[in-house]
Structures are given as C-alpha cells and as structure tokens.
Amino acid sequence: MLNRRDFLRLIGLGGVGTGAGFALSESTKKKAAGLIPYVVPPEEVIPGVANWYASLCTQCSAGCGVIVRVMEGRAKKIEGNPSHPVNKGKLCARGQAALQSLYNPDRIEGPLKRTGERGSGKFEKISWDEGLALLATKLKEQRQAGSADGLYVLTSSQRGHLGKLIDTFCKGYGTKNHIQHELLQQRNLTLANQIAFGIDEMPHYDIENANLLLSFGADFLGTWVSPVSYAKAYGNMRQGRATVRGKLIQFEPRMSQTGANADQWVPVKPGSEGLLAMGISAAILEGGYYKKSDRDEWAALLKGYDIKDIAHKCDVSEERIGEMARLFATTRQSLAIGGEGAASCEGGVSNIVAINILNHLGGAIGRKGGVFPNPSVPLQGKPSFKGIGDVAMAASTSRLKTLILCNSNPLFGAPKGMKLDEAFRKIPFIASFSTFMDESTETADLILPSSTSLEEWGDDFTEPSVRYGVATIMQPVVSPFYDTKSAGDIFISLAKGVGGGTAKALPWSDFHSYLKGEWKRRYRNYRGSKEATFEVFWNKVLADGGWWPSQKPVSRSLSISSRRVRGQLPTRPARYDGDEKGFPLYLTLYPQIGYYDGRGANLPWLQEMPDPMTSVVWGSWIEMNPKTAKGMGIKEGDVVTVESPHGTISAPVYHYPAIRPDTIAVPIGQGHSSYGKYAVGRGANPIDLLPHKLDKRTGALALNATRVKITKGGSGGKLVKMEGSTDERDRGIVKTVAPEKI
Amino acid sequence: MKKVIIYLIVIVIMFGVGFGVSDYVFSDRTPTQPINFSHKIHARDNEIPCMYCHIYAERSRVSGVPNVKRCMGCHVIIKRDSPEIKKLTTYWENEEPIPWIKVHKLPDHVYFPHKRHIKAEVRCQTCHGEVQWMDVVTREAPLKMGWCLNCHKQREVKNGRDCWTCHK
C-alpha cells in the first residue's frame, strides 16, 4: 500500500498542485481598479459626456474659429466652428494638430534661467516670482540708465487685445519697439494694396463667385493667407453653382497643390509673374477690351510694355497672353490674385500692384466674383513695416539692450547673410515667453513660458475679413498642463514688477479682466446689440466663439487710378543672385502645408502627413524635373548638395515632373536645430540658401531670390514617401496635353 | 505506472482546490472598500433611490460615483459619530477623494452606456445584483459577452447583436 515515501511524495505534489492552481487563479484576476470620485464636481462636467468649447485657431494668421471637444478636463479633438464666417466649420490639418502642441512632450514646463554658455541649452528651473523679479529688475535698471527704447519686444502676429496690451506695455515703459514678425506675413501684399487702392486692410477676394480665376503663384488651397476660407469658396466656385463651373488658371514655375487643381497650369519663368500680369493688361488694352473713360490714361501708363518682349521674358507664348487677356476681359466675374510666387521676390510689391491693375482692367474691382473692400480692422492703425531687419540692425549697433521674444522664432527664418545669430550674441539680455524651446528661445537668458492657445484667453480681429467685421474669442478650454502663464498675464505681472509708468499703463489684475473690460466697452459702443446686459452678451460670445453682429457687407468702394500706381510697376523679372553659368538653376521655396513657416515641424501628426504633391513624410526633399535630374545622372532618392552664392544644404532628390526644368523647389519648415525631438535633426532648412534680401519698404524676406547649382553627394536623410512609382509605364492612365496645344 | 496516475490525479485535484480557494476565499467579486459602506442601509432601510447618488446614470455612459460633497450633504448632520462616517469626514476635510475599489468592471473594448439601459427600463439590479440587500457590494452577474447577448436577444434589442453596438 502507501509507504511513507509515497505519502510524502503525494503531499509534495499536492502542495505543488494547490500552489499552481492558486497562482493561476490569482494571475487571471484583474488588478483592482480604482473608482475615484470628484470631491466637489465641476459645474460643467458630466463624466463621459463631451463639452464643446468655441475658440480661435492660432496655427497660422488666418484666424479660423474652432470648437474643441473636451472630456473631463482633457481636450480630445478640434474641429472648425460651423457658425464662424471665415472657415464655416472647416479646418485644415494644422488646426487639427494644435492638440499636439498642448500635449507636446517638448513643451517648456516652467520658468528657466540660463546656467551654461549662451546657446548651450543649459538651464535651471526657477520660480515664477524669481523669474519675473529678475526681468523686472533688468528693465528697471535699463530705464534708469536712460535707455528705455533699447527694449524690443518681438512677437508673432497679434491682431487682438494681446497685441494692444503689449503695445501699451511698451508705451508705458518708453519704447516703440513692439515688432510683429512672422516669415509669411504678406507685408508686400499689404503695401501693394495700400499703394493701389489706398486701403490699410486686405481686401476680400470673392473666389466663391468667380467664373475665371487667374492665380499668380498663390497657393490659396494650401498655405496662402486664409486657405480654409478660400478652399471652401473654391469648392463653391467649381461645383456649388448650377450653371457655371469656374475656371482656374495657375501661373507658377513649380506646381503647387492649387496648381494641381487648376484647369491650366502655366509654368512661367520664376520671378516673372508680375511682368506677365502687365503683359495681360497691355493685351487687354491693345485688344480694345477695356472701354471705360480712363482708357487712355492706362494705355499711356502701359505704353512701354511690349507683349512680344514680355512673352519672351516670361516664357509664355504671345498668343497665349493674348488669349488670357481676351478671356479675362470678356468673362464676367473674373478675378486675379497674386501669392508668394509673385509677392515674395525682389519687386514683389510692384508685382502685386500689377495684378491689381489687371483686376481693374478686367473689371473685377467691386464686382461680384472680384475684389471687395473689407471694413477697417479694430486696434490696427496704419500697418507697421518694422521687421526683423530693424531688430538685427539695433542689435548689431548695440542699441538693443533687452529683447523679449514671444512665440516668434526669427533665427529659424533668417538667412545666414543677415547675421542675425551674431547680432543676437550682442544683445545683453534676452528673455523669451515662448511655449517651445526653439532656435531663438535657446539663446535666451531667461525663459518665462506662455501657455498654448487651448489654455489661455485671447481674441482676434480677422484679417482679411469676409466683407464685414469678424471678432473671434479665444477661451481656455483646459487648465494649464504645466507651470505656464498666458502671455498677457506675464506682461501684466511684469509691468507691476517694473513699476512706475509701466505699472500705471497696465492697471489690470490679469489678462482676462482686461480682455473682458475691452469687450464690454465694445458692447456699449455698439448700438445694434440685441442682448440686454453685458453678461448675457458675453456668454453668447463665448458660446458662439466670437462676434459678427452685422453681416452686411461694408459700404465702401475700392478704386485705383493710374496716377497712384505710376512708378510702382514691374519693369523686368525679379533678379536672382548668382550668375547663370555657375548657378544654372532657379531656386523657389514654398511653405509646406504641414510645417508652414517651420512651426508645424514639432507636431508628429504633421510630420506624418504625406505632402499632397510628393507624398513625402518626415523630412526635406529637393524637387527636380526628371529631365534635369536624369541629365545629371541623379536618381530619385539620391542625396545632393544644393549650393547658392550664400550657403549650402543637402537633401534627397524627388523627381517632380510638374516643375520647370530650369528650376528646383524646396519646402520650408524642416531643418530645425532646436524645436523638440520631432523637429531636430530632420531635413534641411532652405532659408540658409537665401540672400539677405529684405524689401526696402516692407522688410519682407524674398523667398524667390537666388540661383543654385547642384552637386551629387552630401549628407542628408532618406527619402520616405507614401507613393509607389509615378511612372504609368505607357498605360495611358492620366493623359496630359501641353498648354500650348490647347 | 499506477503510482504515476495517482500522483497526476492528486495534482489535478489539488490544483482545482488551490484555484477554488483563490477564486472564492480571496475573491475579487467582493473587494474590501476603504469605507465600510452599506447599500442596504441607504437603499433598503432608508429607501434612497439609486440615482439620488449615482447622478449621471440617466445622462451619461457612466453612472458616476457619488462625489464626496454629495455624501457630506447628508452626513454633515446624520450619524456624525459613527467610526465609518468619521473616515468620510476625514477625506472631506483633507479634500481627498475616497479611493473606492471598482466591483463591476468591463474591459476597455466594451462600450456600455448606462443612459441607454435606463431608457430601456432595465433595472439596475439586472446587472448589479440586488444591491439593496447587500451590506458589502459583491459582483453577482458574470458580465461576460454571452450574458450580455442573452439579454439583448430576449429583449429583442434593435441592432442588439451587431458587433459595433458594443465594440466601437
């Protein structure tokens, strides 16, 4: 029977069995989950039910209204605000990706003070009180030393009350140097409209009702001015009307996303867009299509423009110019617009003036489907053309004592020739209120980080508007994630620290009370208010996302006279640096739809988003016509070095059939040396190739300004793209016809 | 040979015993809560309706754990001297939430809206057991997919057997 040994064995095995069974059961049990209640429930929150808050998108300067889905205090999704007159419920990829700014792992989490060498990136954490006191003491000392005007405040484009607050701060302190700088600011467009029409604000282009749209290098479906609003209008122009499908003709050396949508894409010679507009105008007069009383004046003004010569210079046939002129003048509701291609080069202002003249001769001004005036924008007087050039100048002459940066990153968007980095080294004290550690903020001595647009109050007066005034409100949809403050609050606290006139100029307790007070004033001054009290009004504004009380188009008229534009016209194509022999190719730079002016590069969603024309992701590329590339023995994906008289970059080549063989194109936005883990060390910054060519009057940087040469080899990333082959292998899938044959 | 079979039988039996002990004696059906809260006292003896405390059930996916303020709404007066209520008062004074342990758990891939079930007039007790008799809440229903579907079938729920109704 059972001996002692067997008995012990059985006990042992039984024990093992029990243990194994117990362990298995325990391991399958789920970890006890907590069920944590609120101590006191927030008023607006129902767990599991989303709240949508209306606010403002700040990813570019278009000023779209957004609604943000918030669940239990976390922002989850951003969509366009359906009742907002600018974007009408639509939103672009950059707007959607604003969520990733909020949750970005590379945000500056609290105030920092530099400890290492300037630019070494070594900082120590300090408290807000300490940081504000440090800057306030600096400013106090500077003012006592009599150099209050040595304070420069460099911010991004601020049309709302934050901009006014900063102006007030500067005025109270004793400086006039609040400069709003962005790489793509449309300064040339503003000045050209000022010259041609005598208006300070951008006009409204009625793309929605246009039957013929001539676009001179305006990528209005991608990045130009107000892309969401224009894309919506374009949809209507093409498909929204029962009787007519508007026609789009795009003039640009490199096919943009907009060019790809056009009926005709005309690859004009780089820099000759303005001249071509003059050619078409001249052809309108020559063809006798323009019959108004001021006909002779214009004919006299345009006398020197020989169509044959222009055709040669623009690389567009004479007949084609004549045909364009006929179409433009005889089509009812025709419109011409000029974008970066025309405006962002030497003589960019005159190119846009030329396009305005074309609009006049085609009868587009003040007519349906044409150019309309916008109401004047509140808080804005005459547009200021002070720019980054003034900062560089002041810094290099040691006039600049203290620089405050606020979400402006001039070091990324400045060509080497400007020597801005050297100028920055001469600035005795730099403070940055930026949200992210970018190239410029890295040089700061003190960082007082501001919150993202989803965490703070603000507002915006849209420009260009939609023929009536639109004010958008920005409200915090979540509480700040980190130890950051809103930029307005930082300035107000700083003013209190500085004391004296500065503190008196900014008497408010915080930015919210200032903003609300200013809106209250507007509410009182507006006669047509339907709401009984301000609180009712204010709640409605917060619910709607803004205020657009009168939706009646402004009653003003636009006019242009030959007298005003005399001497402001383009006479030749824009000059490009570098001689043709040494540098055989034109360089054209364009803002990529995701990275824009570089600010989108730290958001992985935008890096991951395939470029609409090339499908490339996560990097830079150089667009070359396959003919040119093959002639040089360059395969797609080969890394090449691009050299201009001013600098070099290297990146892989993309064979792009929709670009002139004598031109290469590089997207702007990559090649950051600092801007968080998703942006750093990725691609190349083509701004390095540009000459230091700022428009004398507007201070705008010319993006189309230099010739380049290409040599094989160089260091650069791999070309990663979504598409397979672009070759249709003689299957005739997409049939194309050269424009000359139409 | 015979011995080996006996050994195996013993192992299997004892495995079952071990599993059972873990599952029943150390059960997660009836976790120990930070405060010895009795649903019986509240829901049965004092006849407080479920949704007086679980305030979001009609409006949201979740029914909502009562917030501490709601408990204090009554207990600022009632039975302040009981040791369990003193625990509650401590949480309230420290402005801390009560770390309750979840009894009725569903995996993340299940979408279960309380709102719809209450609209369909399913009694709370169908899933949560006769809570009004429980001094300590225990999980009685299996909360498995087959069990859910059974009910959906019986009640002829519209789209009640569609995958996407619950897994979305």
Side-chain angles (χ1 to χ4, degrees):
Chain A
M1 268 298 284
L2 205 66
N3 58 26
R4 182 169 170 274
R5 193 168 273 187
D6 285 338
F7 178 72
L8 288 176
R9 266 189 201 138
L10 276 177
I11 289 187
L13 289 171
V16 169
T18 318
F22 192 84
L24 183 73
S25 165
E26 286 295 307
S27 67
T28 56
K29 277 182 195 166
K30 284 183 210 104
K31 224 180 126 225
L35 196 57
I36 310 300
Y38 283 115
V39 178
V40 179
E43 235 174 84
E44 293 175 334
V45 172
I46 299 176
V49 177
N51 284 333
W52 291 83
Y53 294 101
S55 192
L56 166 75
C57 180
T58 57
Q59 295 297 100
C60 78
S61 305
C64 294
V66 294
I67 46 174
V68 189
R69 181 174 192 248
V70 180
M71 284 182 87
E72 287 133 67
R74 291 281 181 271
K76 302 250 168 161
K77 183 81 173 76
I78 305 179
E79 294 285 6
N81 181 352
S83 51
H84 198 276
V86 170
N87 57 322
K88 296 176 182 147
K90 311 297 172 199
L91 197 64
C92 74
R94 266 174 289 134
Q96 298 271 357
L99 267 191
Q100 287 199 325
S101 301
L102 175 68
Y103 298 115
N104 202 294
D106 299 316
R107 276 182 65 178
I108 304 170
E109 297 180 13
L112 298 173
K113 195 174 124 189
R114 180 169 64 85
T115 53
E117 285 276 294
R118 189 178 262 188
S120 64
K122 286 195 186 109
F123 293 96
E124 64 172 5
K125 283 189 177 170
I126 52 170
S127 72
W128 272 99
D129 290 341
E130 217 177 315
L132 284 166
L134 184 70
L135 184 54
T137 319
K138 278 269 168 208
L139 291 181
K140 250 193 253 173
E141 282 169 11
Q142 186 183 325
R143 197 176 50 189
Q144 274 154 16
S147 47
D149 60 350
L151 170 70
Y152 278 65
V153 182
L154 192 60
T155 66
S156 53
S157 212
Q158 296 292 349
R159 292 181 298 233
H161 279 98
L162 177 59
K164 194 186 169 198
L165 181 90
I166 298 172
D167 279 343
T168 316
F169 176 89
C170 289
K171 215 168 146 196
Y173 181 73
T175 176
K176 285 178 189 155
N177 303 315
H178 171 210
I179 293 174
Q180 306 194 7
H181 165 76
E182 280 181 22
L183 185 60
L184 308 165
Q185 237 169 351
Q186 311 298 346
R187 289 163 172 246
N188 288 353
L189 194 59
T190 308
L191 181 62
N193 289 328
Q194 216 174 24
I195 291 169
F197 302 122
I199 51 170
D200 292 334
E201 54 287 322
M202 286 234 240
H204 173 69
Y205 298 110
D206 192 13
I207 294 173
E208 195 170 342
N209 295 307
N211 291 343
L212 173 67
L213 177 58
L214 302 188
S215 160
F216 294 84
D219 183 14
F220 63 88
L221 298 178
T223 50
W224 187 63
V225 183
S226 188
V228 180
S229 142
Y230 294 151
K232 174 104 172 99
Y234 176 73
N236 192 64
M237 165 188 152
R238 296 291 252 193
Q239 295 169 341
R241 297 172 291 175
T243 49
V244 58
R245 176 183 184 275
K247 186 171 179 172
L248 168 63
I249 302 175
Q250 182 89 0
F251 305 95
E252 55 188 6
R254 177 248 169 209
M255 186 189 274
S256 65
Q257 187 186 352
T258 312
N261 278 280
D263 294 286
Q264 289 179 37
W265 171 67
V266 186
V268 295
K269 201 148 200 171
S272 69
E273 286 91 344
L275 201 60
L276 180 64
M278 291 309 291
I280 299 175
S281 295
I284 289 178
L285 290 171
E286 206 164 276
Y289 300 115
Y290 185 71
K291 297 191 180 76
K292 293 218 178 101
S293 57
D294 56 347
R295 190 192 175 282
D296 294 338
E297 283 173 41
W298 290 105
L301 190 72
L302 269 64
K303 207 170 61 191
Y305 290 89
D306 173 33
I307 298 171
K308 198 168 169 189
D309 177 48
I310 289 175
H312 173 70
K313 280 180 181 157
C314 301
D315 198 10
V316 180
S317 75
E318 219 182 312
E319 298 77 53
R320 205 168 160 74
I321 294 181
E323 175 62 11
M324 290 294 169
R326 189 190 63 79
L327 263 180
F328 194 73
T330 54
T331 309
R332 286 164 57 97
Q333 290 162 247
S334 50
L335 168 68
I337 55 175
E340 252 94 41
S344 193
C345 55
E346 182 202 73
V349 176
S350 19
N351 288 347
I352 303 294
V353 171
I355 290 162
N356 284 336
I357 292 173
L358 177 59
N359 272 326
H360 174 70
L361 296 179
I365 295 181
R367 202 183 59 188
K368 194 175 174 190
V371 187
F372 285 104
N374 264 322
S376 54
V377 188
L379 310 187
Q380 248 169 354
K382 290 267 162 215
S384 158
F385 293 119
K386 264 202 230 168
I388 190 63
D390 299 74
V391 175
M393 181 63 85
S396 54
T397 55
S398 301
R399 246 188 312 126
L400 204 168
K401 305 286 187 225
T402 303
L403 176 68
I404 294 179
L405 292 164
C406 188
N407 289 320
S408 182
N409 186 7
L411 284 185
F412 179 76
K416 288 263 186 298
M418 195 186 254
K419 301 213 167 80
L420 194 62
D421 44 350
E422 278 174 38
F424 261 54
R425 255 174 256 138
K426 284 191 187 158
I427 302 174
F429 194 78
I430 303 176
S432 174
F433 299 170
S434 297
T435 311
F436 290 98
M437 188 65 88
D438 53 32
E439 284 83 355
S440 311
T441 299
E442 197 152 71
T443 65
D445 303 288
L446 176 71
I447 300 174
L448 303 173
S450 59
S451 307
T452 65
S453 60
L454 295 175
E455 300 160 315
E456 61 182 25
W457 287 99
D459 61 352
D460 179 50
F461 298 99
T462 313
E463 200 208 347
S465 191
V466 284
R467 301 181 64 191
Y468 53 85
V470 175
T472 316
I473 196 89
M474 180 165 101
Q475 57 178 323
V477 300
V478 295
S479 349
F481 268 42
Y482 298 113
D483 190 13
T484 58
K485 286 180 190 239
S486 87
D489 284 344
I490 301 174
F491 276 103
I492 289 174
S493 319
L494 186 61
K496 297 214 182 336
V498 175
T502 325
K504 240 178 259 163
L506 273 65
W508 307 282
S509 59
D510 56 16
F511 183 64
H512 174 230
S513 58
Y514 163 66
L515 185 76
K516 207 170 161 181
E518 290 295 299
W519 275 70
K520 192 166 188 174
R521 228 160 40 80
R522 276 181 191 282
Y523 159 79
R524 282 205 184 131
N525 293 343
Y526 183 71
R527 286 166 202 282
S529 294
K530 290 192 193 88
E531 293 78 22
T533 66
F534 173 69
E535 284 305 319
V536 176
F537 166 78
W538 181 245
N539 285 337
K540 189 172 181 303
V541 165
L542 293 185
D544 292 350
W547 192 34
W548 31 92
S550 158
Q551 304 200 3
K552 228 173 60 205
V554 64
S555 55
R556 289 165 72 181
S557 64
L558 276 188
S559 66
I560 182 168
S561 73
S562 60
R563 203 162 27 85
R564 217 174 333 172
V565 296
R566 197 179 300 277
Q568 306 280 5
L569 302 177
T571 50
R572 53 176 165 72
R575 262 186 307 227
Y576 280 65
D577 278 21
D579 65 298
E580 201 167 339
K581 263 200 196 119
F583 301 96
L585 299 164
Y586 289 101
L587 173 73
T588 171
L589 303 188
Y590 66 94
Q592 202 266 351
I593 188 168
Y595 322 135
Y596 194 55
D597 56 3
R599 71 177 77 168
N602 67 339
L603 309 179
W605 279 349
L606 296 179
Q607 288 276 5
E608 190 79 28
M609 181 177 75
D611 177 75
M613 295 312 295
T614 63
S615 85
V616 181
V617 294
W618 290 101
S620 283
W621 63 94
I622 288 156
E623 290 167 18
M624 272 181 101
N625 191 298
K627 270 187 213 151
T628 317
K630 276 173 196 155
M632 298 172 71
I634 297 168
K635 291 198 295 292
E636 182 159 294
D638 284 358
V639 174
V640 296
T641 302
V642 181
E643 192 186 336
S644 80
H646 310 282
T648 53
I649 60 163
S650 52
V653 163
Y654 176 82
H655 280 188
Y656 191 49
I659 188 168
R660 288 173 61 93
D662 62 355
T663 306
I664 67 160
V666 188
I668 299 170
Q670 299 276 29
H672 283 273
S673 63
S674 166
Y675 195 35
K677 58 170 82 74
Y678 301 110
V680 169
R682 197 168 292 289
N685 186 0
I687 308 266
D688 287 352
L689 296 169
L690 292 179
H692 175 206
K693 216 185 238 180
L694 301 181
D695 192 289
K696 279 199 192 75
R697 288 177 290 177
T698 63
L701 178 70
L703 297 177
N704 303 296
T706 187
R707 305 175 70 98
V708 290
K709 71 174 175 199
I710 282 193
T711 45
K712 277 203 262 184
S715 58
K718 251 166 70 181
L719 186 74
V720 186
K721 54 173 195 162
M722 294 288 289
E723 72 186 8
S725 171
T726 50
D727 190 3
E728 51 180 40
R729 307 199 192 282
D730 298 324
R731 282 174 293 180
I733 299 167
V734 181
K735 296 208 167 139
T736 52
V737 181
E740 320 305 332
K741 288 181 186 159
I742 296 174
Chain B
M1 190 58 215
K2 215 166 114 195
K3 266 187 198 166
V4 175
I5 292 170
I6 292 173
Y7 291 159
L8 280 178
I9 291 171
V10 167
I11 285 184
V12 169
I13 292 173
M14 293 316 284
F15 183 90
V17 170
F19 196 98
V21 167
S22 154
D23 201 30
Y24 285 94
V25 182
F26 300 96
S27 169
D28 64 342
R29 288 188 184 81
T30 321
T32 315
Q33 301 287 2
I35 293 177
N36 197 2
F37 174 87
S38 165
H39 272 86
K40 184 166 171 278
I41 295 175
H42 291 81
R44 173 79 200 168
D45 302 351
N46 292 304
E47 294 180 351
I48 301 171
C50 303
M51 275 180 275
Y52 183 79
C53 298
H54 300 284
I55 51 175
Y56 303 120
E58 277 177 309
R59 292 179 282 168
S60 173
R61 190 165 57 79
V62 296
S63 64
V65 209
N67 54 69
V68 185
K69 191 184 174 193
R70 184 144 293 242
C71 305
M72 288 309 288
C74 298
H75 286 294
V76 80
I77 302 164
I78 297 166
K79 282 197 98 173
R80 287 175 56 189
D81 302 328
S82 135
E84 296 298 319
I85 303 301
K86 273 186 183 152
K87 281 190 210 166
L88 170 70
T89 321
T90 316
Y91 282 116
W92 173 246
E93 278 163 3
N94 295 341
E95 293 181 21
E96 276 173 11
I98 307 162
W100 299 109
I101 312 282
K102 211 166 181 180
V103 180
H104 296 87
K105 285 175 281 199
L106 287 176
D108 284 348
H109 56 261
V110 180
Y111 176 74
F112 177 86
H114 274 86
K115 183 173 155 181
R116 285 187 156 247
H117 289 83
I118 288 181
K119 271 210 183 117
E121 292 176 352
V122 179
R123 287 178 71 235
C124 303
Q125 285 84 343
T126 316
C127 305
H128 291 288
E130 297 296 324
V131 178
Q132 74 276 28
W133 293 105
M134 296 179 193
D135 272 321
V136 180
V137 172
T138 184
R139 188 174 73 236
E140 286 184 345
L143 304 185
K144 298 275 189 232
M145 187 172 129
W147 177 80
C148 292
L149 277 178
N150 230 355
C151 190
H152 277 198
K153 260 186 254 175
Q154 274 171 16
R155 299 175 66 104
E156 291 173 2
V157 178
K158 197 183 167 202
N159 297 332
R161 293 169 72 185
D162 200 294
C163 306
W164 276 40
T165 301
C166 312
H167 302 293
K168 53 182 166 192

